[in-house]
Amino acid sequence: MKEFTIVGGGIAGASIAYHLAKKGQHVTVYDRFDQGQATFASAGIICPWTSQRRNKKWYRLVQEGARYYPAFIKDLEQTTNQPTGYKQNGAICLFKDDRIQQLAYERISAKQEASPEMGSVTKMAKKDVKALHPYLTDYYPAVFVEGGGQIDGESLLTSLKKGVLAHGGNWLVEDVDPRECQGTVIYTAGAWAGEFHDQPTIRHQRAELLHFQLDEDADAMGTPVVMGLGPMYIVGTGAGNSFAIGTTHEKTEEFSVAPSAENKAYLHHEAERYFPDVNIDDHKVSVGLRPFTRDSLPFIGYNDDNIFVVNGLGSTGLTAGPVIGREVAAFLSGEETTLNLADYGYYE
Ligand SMILES: Cc1cc2nc3c(=O)[nH]c(=O)nc-3n(C[C@H](O)[C@H](O)[C@H](O)COP(=O)(O)OP(=O)(O)OC[C@H]3O[C@@H](n4cnc5c(N)ncnc54)[C@H](O)[C@@H]3O)c2cc1C
């Protein structure tokens, strides 16, 4: 049994801790739960197949991440006897017009053979969208991806923490310096990584989500996630008619998580565009800090201080987080991995 100290308890640290503890390793997590923790703020969409990003290493990671989710959730829920909020109601992807819908349909369905877990991919005429999402606009044609899913970041972290403890690990709410920790040190500090090391360089984006309620009965948790135009998406967030729309993307060096009135007005306007026939009651704006590397590929490997760093999970960290945990735990336990982790252990 080896000793591991994990500094940072977002999805990266929590998932690695869970998988190591499951193998019987001795694990202690230190997390100070900064305001702006990305995992807590996340929208939790698991649908990597619709992205237009071409980076193959990134795609291998998120594809394997989405593939692993159902088995991972089953195992975690059995261990903790607690729901994680995972649901797989599919994803409705909206497009500006029929031509772009057709191109997107061809691009997405071409990935099906290599990713059968994405389920069926179907074109939807504008008039059919409301059958799946009653109050959503019928202004745009869509593609429906059956395997699209969503996880609640907060519930997932609660379950992972419980799972770590159930497998004999420790979880402490503490601010620590990774250079002063015992055993093999795994540094998963998200946006705050620059406090203790500068390789790889981690930058962050401030991302805001507007949480709102529709002034009509709606089954938010039963509806598919919606990938709107550009970077906009809509997810159900709770029982009844509660949804969230986002996000904004602001590169910043600041760590403030105070919501901005300007962004709130912009997101409210976007919500009205997607739900044109119902009143929208704003509830709150949540702010998270997404950690990025320079080329947006996660970093997984040792740094110059011989600390194992996992960071830069970017905008798909909840998708990749569980499989990163599985792979890093296998690698650090001297076992074979499914992914080639050397692909992610680069320096700029
Ligand atoms: C608004 C928003 C929406 C998103 N939507 C999606 C989505 O739909 N799908 C998807 O796949 N991904 C999404 N993401 C991305 C995903 O949430 C992130 O990539 C992921 O959560 C990053 O996890 P992390 O563990 O690296 O960092 P974090 O979750 O930020 O965790 C880092 C933790 O380390 C702690 N820490 C730092 N330094 C120390 C120290 N010295 N001592 C102790 N603790 C320390 C911090 O307090 C924090 O708790 C979204 C992100 C945001 C912000």
Side-chain angles (χ1 to χ4, degrees), residues 139-295:
Y139 192 74
Y140 303 108
V143 171
F144 182 67
V145 180
E146 189 187 18
Q150 190 192 346
I151 183 79
D152 176 62
E154 182 183 0
S155 306
L156 177 60
L157 275 190
T158 304
S159 295
L160 281 169
K161 181 176 173 181
K162 210 170 164 184
V164 169
L165 300 177
H167 286 299
N170 305 301
W171 189 294
L172 303 168
V173 182
E174 229 172 280
D175 176 17
V176 298
D177 180 338
R179 296 164 303 190
E180 292 172 2
C181 294
Q182 302 294 314
T184 301
V185 181
I186 306 173
Y187 190 42
T188 50
W192 298 269
E195 290 172 16
F196 292 113
H197 75 85
D198 54 12
Q199 284 292 346
T201 309
I202 299 297
R203 300 183 176 87
H204 62 272
Q205 277 181 357
R206 196 183 126 96
E208 293 184 48
L209 275 176
L210 174 67
H211 297 255
F212 62 93
Q213 295 186 320
L214 297 182
D215 194 13
E216 292 287 343
D217 281 344
D219 174 19
M221 293 310 279
T223 54
V225 297
V226 178
M227 317 290 262
L229 303 194
M232 210 45 69
Y233 51 69
I234 299 153
V235 291
T237 54
N241 49 6
S242 303
F243 292 88
I245 186 165
T247 68
T248 56
H249 297 74
E250 283 172 69
K251 284 185 187 160
T252 176
E253 295 189 357
E254 290 178 15
F255 288 83
S256 155
V257 289
S260 120
E262 193 185 331
N263 286 338
K264 183 177 181 188
Y266 161 68
L267 291 170
H268 183 93
H269 180 72
E270 286 291 310
E272 286 179 333
R273 171 184 179 192
Y274 288 102
F275 296 102
D277 303 322
V278 277
N279 286 328
I280 290 175
D281 298 325
D282 293 349
H283 171 44
K284 64 168 183 179
V285 173
S286 60
V287 183
L289 303 178
R290 282 194 201 103
F292 277 94
T293 58
R294 195 187 57 185
D295 61 0

